[in-house]
Amino acid sequence: MEVKRDGWFKIIWRLFYPLLLYMGIQIVLELMVSFVLTLKVLMDGGGASMQHVVAKVLDLYLGLSYYVTVFGALAAIPFLYLFYRLDRKKRQAVGAEIVYCRATAMEYVLIGVVAFGACIGGNNLILGSGLMELDSHYQQVSEILYSAPFLVQLAGTGIIVPLCEELVFRGLMYKRLKEYVPAGTAMVTTSLVFGLYHGNIVQMVYAMTLGYLMVYIYEKYHHFLAPFLFHAVSNLLSVLITETGIFGFLYTNKTMMLLSGCVGVGIVIAGMRIICNDVKLEPKDPASRVEL
């Protein structure tokens, strides 16, 4: 692998400007919504005190914050996809973009099985251990995530947000970091950043773990669809469990949650061993076997 020799500023900028763009869009939307809500409260409240106005705006904004997150992700996706396509074209121009044979349908089904185990394992161990109760920020985030109507959650949490985050962290950050450091270092680094991005201790640990699984799967399948599928299945399952009560018997008490969490972890371990040992995709061009 030929390592690029860019300066530190350029490296940091290339790695993080997609994330900064995504976060910037979110901030602009937050400011716009807050401004509109403030005008509404001022017009409806007459001579209300500033403290009352601020409290009312915050209360109204919390009810809309999920939609702001989803629309921010939706607005960022076209830009992120453009960056992703441009990166691929640049790598193709220098012979560093290797096209691999596609995985089989069953190999993609295996990703869904591992994602199922990761969702059940991670969430049930967190609930069963009581960690969620110790982190008030995590509880607040959970309430916001599951506040929207069911179909909106399926589209937003299950499809739009995973697509946006996969473009940022795996499609762009990881692939770019591999141009400067070995793949293993890039996998660990982007997983840590993905965890830190989620902001609270419980989600950090969960996201770091899933982030590493997703980037490893990306490395094995050599196709963006693989980590996106994992992310989408995991999120969709969380929504289904929370909103429909499916698998409700797993949540009858802490012992059941811990046991089912361990079973979920076992499914992940078994599935990842199969992926590690059996998923071996070959380049379409046999002459190129070393990917930048």
Side-chain angles (χ1 to χ4, degrees):
M1 179 180 70
E2 182 183 350
V3 178
K4 286 191 173 183
R5 300 298 181 184
D6 293 333
W8 279 107
F9 178 80
K10 183 177 180 180
I11 294 173
I12 298 299
W13 174 248
R14 285 195 72 224
L15 294 178
F16 284 96
Y17 79 74
L19 177 59
L20 293 175
L21 172 67
Y22 174 36
M23 295 174 67
I25 291 173
Q26 295 280 358
I27 291 171
V28 169
L29 284 176
E30 288 173 5
L31 291 174
M32 291 172 61
V33 171
S34 297
F35 178 72
V36 171
L37 291 176
T38 301
L39 290 179
K40 181 181 185 302
V41 172
L42 288 174
M43 292 173 64
D44 294 344
S49 67
M50 184 55 65
Q51 184 177 3
H52 171 79
V53 171
V54 172
K56 185 65 175 177
V57 169
L58 287 175
D59 184 56
L60 290 173
Y61 179 79
L62 283 176
L64 297 173
S65 59
Y66 177 82
Y67 297 93
V68 172
T69 299
V70 172
F71 278 105
L74 191 61
I77 285 172
F79 298 100
L80 298 171
Y81 183 70
L82 175 62
F83 301 152
Y84 175 76
R85 293 292 300 173
L86 290 174
D87 278 7
R88 291 198 64 186
K89 288 183 179 180
K90 289 178 182 178
R91 288 193 294 267
Q92 287 171 354
V94 298
E97 181 71 19
I98 299 176
V99 179
Y100 285 82
C101 299
R102 288 289 185 92
T104 65
M106 286 306 300
E107 286 171 331
Y108 275 108
V109 168
L110 182 59
I111 293 176
V113 173
V114 175
F116 171 85
C119 178
I120 295 294
N123 283 291
N124 288 23
L125 288 177
I126 289 171
L127 291 170
S129 65
L131 289 175
M132 185 182 75
E133 300 168 5
L134 301 177
D135 192 336
S136 59
H137 185 213
Y138 175 77
Q139 295 178 47
Q140 184 181 38
V141 170
S142 295
E143 290 175 4
I144 293 172
L145 286 175
Y146 299 109
S147 62
F150 178 58
L151 292 179
V152 175
Q153 290 184 51
L154 290 179
T157 304
I159 304 296
I160 296 172
V161 171
L163 177 57
C164 184
E165 291 184 351
E166 288 311 303
L167 283 169
V168 170
F169 292 101
R170 259 64 67 179
L172 290 166
M173 186 180 291
Y174 170 66
K175 295 290 283 189
R176 289 178 175 183
L177 188 55
K178 276 204 337 176
E179 298 173 6
Y180 304 101
V181 299
T185 303
M187 291 165 71
V188 172
T189 302
T190 52
S191 300
L192 289 173
V193 175
F194 184 62
L196 293 171
Y197 164 76
H198 283 79
N200 59 75
I201 299 299
V202 174
Q203 280 189 302
M204 281 182 189
V205 176
Y206 182 69
M208 283 180 189
T209 305
L210 263 64
Y212 188 82
L213 293 175
M214 287 185 285
V215 77
Y216 182 84
I217 285 171
Y218 193 13
E219 189 67 24
K220 290 292 292 184
Y221 282 74
H222 304 288
H223 199 286
F224 179 78
L225 176 62
F228 168 66
L229 177 63
F230 184 105
H231 201 157
V233 169
S234 179
N235 281 19
L236 285 168
L237 185 60
S238 292
V239 172
L240 288 171
I241 289 173
T242 303
E243 298 297 336
T244 68
I246 189 173
F247 301 123
F249 66 94
L250 299 179
Y251 302 90
T252 53
N253 54 62
K254 288 190 175 183
T255 300
M256 181 62 75
M257 285 187 280
L258 289 173
L259 286 174
S260 58
C262 291
V263 171
V265 172
I267 292 172
V268 172
I269 293 172
M272 291 303 293
R273 287 191 65 180
I274 295 173
I275 289 174
C276 178
N277 296 327
D278 296 345
V279 178
K280 298 177 181 178
L281 306 179
E282 293 292 332
K284 288 187 176 180
D285 179 7
S288 60
R289 291 179 175 270
V290 179
E291 183 178 5
L292 179 66

